Amino acid sequence: MAEERSVKVLIDGATNDLTFTYLAPESVAVTPGQRVRVPLRNRSAVGTVTGVEWIDTANLGYALKPILGTVSDDPFLTPGLMRLAEWIAAFYLAPIETVIRTMLPKPSRGDEEKRKTEKCVEAIVTVDEALLATFNGRQERQREVMRLLSKGPCALQRLTGDLGFPRSSVKALEERGFVKVADRIVNRDPLEQVDYVESPPLALNEEQSAALDQIRASAARLESGEKSRPLLLYGVTGSGKTEVYLQAIQHAIESGKGAIVLVPEIALTPQTADRFKQRFAKIKDQVAILHSNLSEGERHDEWRKVLDQKARIVIGARSAIFSPVKNLGLIVVDEEHENSYKQDTVPRYQARDIAVVRGQIENCPVVLGSATPSLETWNNVRTGKYELATMRLRIDDRKLPLIRVIDMRNEGRKSQAGPTILSTKLRVAMEDRLAKGQQTILFLNRRGFARNILCPECGYVANCRHCSTTLTVHRKEDRLICHICGFSQLPPRQCPECSGRSIVNAGYGTERVEEILRQVFTDAKICRVDTDSMRKKNELRDTLNAFRAKKIDILLGTQMIAKGLDFPNVTLVGVLNADVGLHIPDIRAGERTFQLLTQVAGRAGRGELEGEVVVQTYTPHHPSIQFARHHDFEGFAEYELALRERFRHPPFAHLALLTARSVHQERAEFSLKTLHGRLKRKLPEGITLTEPLPSPLVKSHDQWRFQVVLKSSGARLLARHIRETMKDLTFPDDVVVTVDIDPYSMG
Ligand code: ADP
Ligand code: ZN
């Protein structure tokens, strides 16, 4: 009997989860997770090995083809990641092939791993004193180059750029046969230029020690084969959560393991990255940082460092949860309540939940940290699914800031010029800080100059022609811009409807507030931080450094400055319009507002000086605002969970949002109705279904959108029913139907 080794291969681009079987000669190492090239019909294709088995080929009745080769020697995906991919595919109803592709950085998705090469100069003779003596007085530069190269090859660009050697020296050395210039793979560490001063571990306070002990106990239990639950580290802003993570990571590293730390993209500021690099300055090459400013090549290099086990600590946003860290000893999800952990394209996974699943698969402790935990996580604590560690006090018993709520309806009545954006209280408080040399952060979650333009004569508002939304005024570009699709046009000088000449800007964006601040505080140094003003690569880093160095008095910004910043001299935080985001049709609107207010407020009074927060709102009695004002997360959670339970909203049920989109309105609507009919026909008990409805944003990027929402306490039941229903349902070519399990935006 002839047993031969075969592999199951999932071909790239396959949407049906089908695998093909190939022979894998014993001379090539293959394991699950390896990427291989295989013959497919008359071409060659790339795929992922999902299984290896020995089969009796003689009795098969047909001949198996051998694989053509592997994309790399080692598998790109660890066994743990392969299992995770299967879990994600099943839970979120996504093709497993798409999940696998999401786990890999772009340059390694093709039929070869495209490593970026660069011209490097390398010594090809032994560099010793005898050799160095051969250079005469006029060849000093050449001698220096040789001396440098005796330590190893150097990128040509660095030699002639940063280091300032003339190209002619390199050329002369080449001609003498001392060096060669060749293309080589270089690892570009995006932070290599920066020298980090080591910051040693701090002596933990009581609450911090207790939290760290809980994490270590969890790790110890898992180590000895017992079970352990994910841990919520619930600590007020400034309670020193990051220090606890840092020391927990250190323990993982000391026991020979690796760690992944997820931070929301927006909180992955240079400041956060620096804190990790500084703590682990001695092993800084073992720290990989994955943020969105990296080029594709840089991202790939960081990933490679992890795969090769050169880096054992990974800090990154959402997708860093897929880092191929081997022997994982800890996963931390910082600010676990952040919505940016949810991916909004297929596979629509929630990285915090994936972290918990990966922790189970890889038998490693998972720590979720927040000052304002998500209600999902809080409910898991209440039911005992998660463990809880609490830190109620700020470091050194610093007080939480005093929060004042300003009713802007009164401000509007007071002022002659109609509604204003700066209440008297806030303005006076700002003047006070300027006089004392203290700093202020102002927060407004809307970029641009004004919300839209309005004709007071006929009520005309400028809308996007591609989306069902208004256009935002941008003064500097002198354009009206759609924040959904990016469409822009010149602002009309007169009303296109009634030819009225008194068109006005309605509402305030950061650009407009900046202009007002410059008029009100003529001597203050003011800086605006939003995606329009921070376009260049290091601009945010430089601005935050300047702010830290007290070269800026007032920092005005969008949510880019709401999270994670730690500036001891900031004693005043102003929230200009707390209502943005409160009145949108979304079950999480209240929760988000509470979180945002608490987080923004947490930026004040982090140093020796006490902090104050001024919250401007038109709905001062809203529970989200009142609980935030009293720093009462637990009160808010009880209130909001009671509501959610009454209406069976998450976390008391899972939702599935099914959307049909098309450029043709009728076809999108018709397809959705067909789908709705099928879903309803064999609806299992335990699932409820809404009527077919237009999405809240009924048109986006020229696509019409209609939706139906399913609800059930069983996620598996929900997934099964949707999968079964959609299996033999086809839609017109120009209609796309998407499924979003546990959606974060109701479209
Ligand atoms: P959080 O992440 O909970 O908002 P941080 O970890 O940023 O809090 O800590 C707030 C501040 O307190 C930081 O400046 C940090 O360096 C400092 N800090 C944290 N732990 C200690 C400690 N044990 N002793 C002294 N300072 C600490
Ligand atoms: Zn648009």
Side-chain angles (χ1 to χ4, degrees), residues 654-661 668-681 683 687-696 705-711 718 721-722 725-726 729 731 736-743 745-747:
H654 289 276
L655 302 183
L657 171 68
L658 274 57
T659 311
R661 342 171 172 227
E669 194 168 4
F670 182 77
S671 299
L672 197 271
K673 281 190 175 148
T674 310
L675 176 61
H676 177 265
R678 292 291 189 91
L679 286 165
K680 202 169 172 177
R681 203 188 294 163
L683 194 69
I687 300 183
T688 57
L689 184 68
T690 64
E691 288 306 304
L693 289 167
S695 302
R705 298 136 47 99
F706 292 84
Q707 66 180 36
V708 58
V709 180
L710 292 91
K711 196 192 295 197
L718 204 55
H721 181 53
I722 297 169
T725 309
M726 300 211 17
L729 208 56
F731 299 101
V736 177
V737 173
T738 58
V739 180
D740 191 354
I741 305 287
D742 294 343
S745 152
M746 299 310 277

Side-chain angles (χ1 to χ4, degrees), residues 192-415:
E192 80 189 331
Q193 315 298 352
V194 190
D195 266 332
Y196 291 94
V197 184
E198 193 186 350
S199 76
L202 303 170
L204 300 183
N205 66 25
E206 234 170 83
E207 288 187 327
Q208 286 175 313
S209 302
L212 183 63
D213 286 347
Q214 269 179 272
I215 300 172
R216 295 189 64 183
S218 167
R221 273 198 302 277
L222 290 168
E223 193 71 29
S224 60
E226 288 168 61
K227 285 210 176 318
S228 191
R229 297 170 290 162
L231 178 104
L232 169 66
L233 177 55
Y234 161 52
V236 299
T237 55
S239 58
K241 294 186 286 297
T242 312
E243 185 62 31
V244 175
Y245 307 148
L246 286 167
Q247 300 201 16
I249 296 168
Q250 194 178 333
H251 286 295
I253 295 294
E254 279 163 7
S255 44
K257 301 192 169 187
I260 295 178
V261 183
L262 296 189
V263 285
E265 182 67 61
I266 215 149
L268 193 48
T269 55
Q271 208 192 359
T272 314
D274 287 355
R275 261 176 102 175
F276 284 86
K277 285 272 184 177
Q278 280 161 358
R279 175 58 53 85
F280 300 105
K282 276 212 197 87
I283 50 165
K284 88 170 177 28
D285 296 340
Q286 296 186 26
V287 184
I289 297 192
L290 302 168
H291 57 80
S292 65
N293 261 347
L294 297 184
S295 68
E296 218 167 73
E298 286 171 330
R299 178 170 288 273
H300 180 245
D301 287 344
E302 295 291 287
W303 174 83
R304 244 299 161 189
K305 266 174 31 190
V306 178
L307 190 67
D308 296 339
Q309 302 191 62
K310 288 188 185 124
R312 291 189 293 160
I313 305 171
V314 179
I315 297 140
R318 194 169 61 217
S319 63
I321 193 57
F322 301 128
S323 301
V325 178
K326 289 165 196 161
N327 201 3
L328 252 183
L330 179 70
I331 303 176
V332 173
V333 184
D334 190 23
E335 311 286 4
E336 66 85 31
H337 61 277
E338 273 287 318
N339 294 320
S340 64
Y341 285 126
K342 171 80 177 178
Q343 160 123 330
D344 56 10
T345 53
V346 183
R348 297 187 158 81
Y349 65 91
Q350 155 58 277
R352 177 231 303 147
D353 297 345
I354 298 307
V356 171
V357 177
R358 188 163 181 194
Q360 270 162 8
I361 291 175
E362 312 227 8
N363 224 16
C364 95
V366 178
V367 177
L368 312 178
S370 178
T372 53
S374 64
L375 293 178
E376 280 78 5
T377 298
W378 192 247
N379 196 48
N380 281 331
V381 168
R382 295 206 314 176
T383 59
K385 256 173 96 176
Y386 291 1
E387 205 183 320
L388 176 69
T390 309
M391 305 205 299
R392 293 190 185 280
L393 303 174
R394 277 190 160 185
I395 290 300
D396 295 337
D397 274 340
R398 273 166 208 152
K399 284 204 204 109
L400 282 167
L402 178 70
I403 301 184
R404 290 177 205 284
V405 175
I406 310 290
D407 187 345
M408 292 302 279
R409 294 171 303 185
N410 298 337
E411 288 291 320
R413 262 175 244 135
K414 263 191 292 185
S415 113

Side-chain angles (χ1 to χ4, degrees), residues 441-710:
I441 290 180
L442 289 187
F443 177 78
L444 178 63
N445 214 356
R446 185 184 290 129
R447 64 194 176 89
F449 189 79
R451 193 178 60 228
N452 51 32
I453 55 161
L454 179 80
C455 172
E457 284 162 45
C458 72
Y460 162 85
V461 179
N463 285 314
C464 178
R465 67 175 70 147
H466 308 286
C467 310
S468 51
T469 187
T470 58
L471 295 170
T472 307
V473 185
H474 286 251
R475 171 66 65 87
K476 187 154 164 270
E477 288 105 324
D478 193 25
R479 312 275 304 171
L480 301 178
I481 301 177
C482 173
H483 285 185
I484 302 279
C485 75
F487 165 79
S488 77
Q489 65 176 56
L490 273 175
R493 302 295 165 213
Q494 62 185 67
C495 178
E497 302 271 310
C498 73
S499 305
R501 296 208 156 262
S502 45
I503 282 189
V504 293
N505 290 311
Y508 294 85
T510 44
E511 204 186 350
R512 188 175 194 179
V513 173
E514 183 188 9
E515 198 178 282
I516 293 169
L517 292 177
R518 292 195 190 286
Q519 287 158 10
V520 177
F521 307 101
T522 40
D523 296 330
K525 277 160 268 139
I526 298 162
C527 190
R528 173 168 65 101
V529 176
D530 54 34
T531 47
D532 300 314
S533 68
M534 297 286 138
R535 291 235 167 102
K536 292 195 211 90
K537 193 162 172 170
N538 285 323
E539 222 164 357
L540 180 60
R541 181 193 207 105
D542 295 344
T543 304
L544 296 180
N545 281 340
F547 191 55
R548 171 167 291 272
K550 303 184 193 172
K551 288 178 192 148
I552 297 167
D553 301 309
I554 302 168
L555 195 68
L556 159 73
T558 55
Q559 51 181 335
M560 273 177 104
I561 56 166
K563 316 280 164 70
L565 302 183
D566 185 15
F567 298 108
N569 194 44
V570 172
T571 56
L572 176 65
V573 167
V575 179
L576 296 181
N577 186 348
D579 307 318
V580 179
L582 201 51
H583 307 296
I584 48 173
D586 188 317
I587 44 170
R588 291 190 180 80
E591 183 182 1
R592 280 182 196 150
T593 300
F594 175 85
Q595 289 163 347
L596 191 63
L597 288 178
T598 307
Q599 295 293 339
V600 181
R603 303 309 115 216
R606 294 176 73 91
E608 312 272 291
L609 308 162
E610 210 172 305
E612 181 187 358
V613 179
V614 176
V615 175
Q616 303 186 156
T617 171
Y618 289 90
T619 48
H621 302 296
H622 194 286
S624 296
I625 291 175
Q626 284 301 323
F627 281 115
R629 174 178 168 205
H630 295 108
H631 305 285
D632 186 6
F633 166 74
E634 285 158 72
F636 173 76
E638 289 312 308
Y639 162 83
E640 185 73 19
L641 280 173
L643 273 185
R644 302 264 187 104
E645 188 159 25
R646 175 135 47 93
F647 295 104
R648 270 207 337 123
H649 279 327
F652 300 96
H654 289 276
L655 302 183
L657 171 68
L658 274 57
T659 311
R661 342 171 172 227
S662 171
V663 286
H664 303 290
Q665 183 174 0
E666 334 70 61
R667 267 187 251 184
E669 194 168 4
F670 182 77
S671 299
L672 197 271
K673 281 190 175 148
T674 310
L675 176 61
H676 177 265
R678 292 291 189 91
L679 286 165
K680 202 169 172 177
R681 203 188 294 163
K682 285 191 219 143
L683 194 69
E685 208 175 311
I687 300 183
T688 57
L689 184 68
T690 64
E691 288 306 304
L693 289 167
S695 302
L697 187 65
V698 64
K699 192 175 151 202
S700 162
H701 296 80
D702 284 318
Q703 302 263 328
W704 293 89
R705 298 136 47 99
F706 292 84
Q707 66 180 36
V708 58
V709 180
L710 292 91

Side-chain angles (χ1 to χ4, degrees), residues 117-129:
T117 58
E118 240 183 89
K119 285 211 179 330
C120 278
V121 192
E122 180 176 3
I124 46 175
V125 292
T126 317
V127 185
D128 52 18
E129 286 309 315

